Amino acid sequence: MKESFFMREVYPLIGKNTVDTLQFLKARELIAPDMMCMHCKQPMAWTASRKLTDKYVWKCQNKECPKFKTTLSIRTNSPFHGFRGDFGKLLHAIYLWSCEIGQAHVI
C-alpha cells in the first residue's frame, strides 16, 4: 500500500521546529520563500537568530537602507502570522483540522 503524503512528508515534522520543517513550509509557500525590505525594496536575508523560537528572521542587508539590519518575523505575510507555537505543532493542528477531527478526540 502506498504511503500517504502526510505520513511521508508531514508526520516526521510534527513536534519539531527544525530546518526541515521550515524548508517544507517555504517550499509550499506557507511561509515566504523570500522577502523584500519594505524600505529599500532589496531582498532580505534568511538569518539565524538564537533569541527567537523560530530560530530565523528576515534581515535587511543593504547598508544604504535607512532600516539596515531591521528584521522581520519569518511568519510575516503567512497564515501563521499572529500564531504562537512551533511550526511542527501547527502542522499537526492543521492536519487534524483537515481530517475534521474534533478537540474531544485529540485530548
Side-chain angles (χ1 to χ4, degrees):
M1 186 171 168
K2 188 176 177 183
E3 191 175 38
S4 72
F5 173 80
F6 174 78
M7 291 306 291
R8 185 179 64 252
E9 300 288 330
V10 180
Y11 185 74
L13 304 174
I14 290 175
K16 298 180 181 175
N17 200 17
T18 65
V19 173
D20 292 339
T21 304
L22 298 175
Q23 291 303 330
F24 174 87
L25 295 169
K26 282 174 76 175
R28 285 150 186 87
E29 296 189 15
L30 292 169
I31 59 174
D34 50 45
M35 184 69 66
M36 301 297 267
C37 176
M38 292 181 274
H39 303 281
C40 67
K41 309 298 184 214
Q42 296 297 310
M44 297 180 89
W46 179 263
T47 307
S49 175
R50 288 182 270 194
K51 297 177 185 177
L52 302 174
T53 304
D54 292 339
K55 306 291 185 218
Y56 291 89
V57 294
W58 290 108
K59 189 174 194 178
C60 181
Q61 298 292 301
N62 179 4
K63 292 180 182 177
E64 297 174 13
C65 179
K67 297 292 185 174
F68 175 57
K69 293 189 178 182
T70 293
T71 61
L72 287 176
S73 166
I74 61 174
R75 296 173 191 239
T76 300
N77 298 333
S78 83
F80 303 108
H81 186 79
F83 285 94
R84 293 188 176 205
D86 68 61
F87 285 110
K89 289 179 182 173
L90 289 169
L91 281 176
H92 191 213
I94 291 167
Y95 170 71
L96 294 173
W97 171 81
S98 71
C99 294
E100 297 183 358
I101 297 174
Q103 183 178 355
H105 295 20
V106 175
I107 298 175

